[in-house]
Amino acid sequence: MEFWFSQICGIIVSIAAITSMQLKNIKHIMVCQLVCNGVGALSYILVGGLSGCGIYLVAVAQAVVYYFFRSKEKKAPLWIALVFICLYPLCSATTYKNPVDLISAMAALTCAFSLVQEKPSLYRIFMLLNGIIWMIYDINVGAYTMIISHIATALSAGIGIIRLDIKPKGKKNEVQ
């Protein structure tokens, strides 16, 4: 039963991840990240991916903190970013069981860097890397619909980069 519930969670994560990559408003992106990371943590705990779950829980905390800064239109202090950048490897170290857990640690750092971005374009670049790295972890722990969500994350980030970041620049050059 846990396996199937985990797979349903993966589908929900996919929807939130795809949505977040196509948004321009960083506050709305943070809300999608809260859903994505909260449900993702549940998915991993259900299939025994403790390292992935821990990292997703840190990501939930980071998304909450940065959402509040963004909603008040204030810049988060650098020390907060550094705290989260240290928390991800610490979380990975405390849940370490085998070398596969190092993959989730790398993915975690891309998440840390993505959530501190103020520009959605930089967020999408880090999330493209994040999706690719998480796919490798998913294959190794058997979180099969999470693979789908991370494929969706990578593809949606790529599409968002082209549609929202590259194409508009090309159109500006054509007008001038």
Side-chain angles (χ1 to χ4, degrees), residues 40-100:
L42 180 58
S43 176
Y44 281 127
I45 199 71
L46 291 168
V47 294
L50 187 59
S51 176
C53 175
I55 287 166
Y56 264 67
L57 290 174
V58 173
V60 167
Q62 186 180 13
V64 167
V65 168
Y66 279 89
Y67 176 81
F68 283 114
F69 277 102
R70 302 279 159 42
S71 66
K72 304 232 185 252
E73 297 184 13
K74 292 187 176 186
K75 187 175 175 90
L78 178 62
W79 69 266
I80 290 177
L82 295 174
V83 166
F84 282 106
I85 289 168
C86 292
L87 277 176
Y88 285 106
L90 180 65
C91 180
S92 294
T94 60
T95 60
Y96 182 85
K97 289 183 183 174
N98 60 53
V100 170

Side-chain angles (χ1 to χ4, degrees), residues 2 14 36 42 60 65-66 74 76 94 96 98 106 119 130 159 169 172:
E2 288 91 3
S14 297
C36 183
L42 180 58
V60 167
V65 168
Y66 279 89
K74 292 187 176 186
T94 60
Y96 182 85
N98 60 53
M106 288 187 300
K119 294 182 179 180
N130 182 271
I159 290 167
K169 290 177 185 175
K172 286 179 187 174

Side-chain angles (χ1 to χ4, degrees), residues 115-143:
L115 293 175
V116 301
Q117 300 307 313
E118 293 180 8
K119 294 182 179 180
S121 58
L122 294 174
Y123 163 79
R124 283 186 276 278
I125 291 168
F126 281 108
M127 289 308 291
L128 174 65
L129 294 171
N130 182 271
I132 292 167
I133 296 168
W134 273 118
M135 282 186 270
I136 298 165
Y137 179 79
D138 296 338
I139 291 166
N140 283 284
V141 299

